[in-house]
Amino acid sequence: STDTETSGFDFLKDRIGDISLSFDGKTGYHIFATPDKIPSLNKLLKAHILIGTNFKFDAKFLWDFGTEQIEYGEDIF
């Protein structure tokens, strides 16, 4: 699962503060969103299909932050 914490709702004006990820439902990762983490984050995100509630919102922030195209699915529950 994936979630971003942002400073607001406008991906053109507001910014990501941090990103939470879990790939197995047991271990979670918390990443402070700083520009130096973009290359590592791109590698990590390319290796997984991300699932999140309303992930289209998070994806816009991630793309504006500088990540590459992300493969994702929606959690509809």
Side-chain angles (χ1 to χ4, degrees):
S1 66
T2 308
D3 189 32
T4 60
E5 298 302 325
T6 63
S7 62
F9 297 112
D10 184 344
F11 74 94
L12 295 174
K13 180 178 79 171
D14 298 309
R15 298 288 169 244
I16 291 177
D18 59 88
I19 304 161
S20 299
L21 302 165
S22 178
F23 301 111
D24 62 5
K26 298 176 186 174
T27 306
Y29 301 92
H30 181 254
I31 303 166
F32 289 104
T34 56
D36 62 310
K37 299 203 176 113
I38 293 172
S40 297
L41 190 57
N42 277 327
K43 279 184 178 179
L44 185 64
L45 296 178
K46 282 177 141 182
H48 298 86
I49 297 173
L50 304 179
I51 303 294
T53 302
N54 194 22
F55 192 73
K56 289 178 186 177
F57 173 85
D58 297 302
K60 289 177 184 178
F61 274 92
L62 288 166
W63 294 328
D64 188 60
F65 177 62
T67 60
E68 296 172 4
Q69 196 71 15
I70 301 164
E71 188 171 348
Y72 68 90
E74 289 281 341
D75 179 3
I76 56 172
F77 298 103

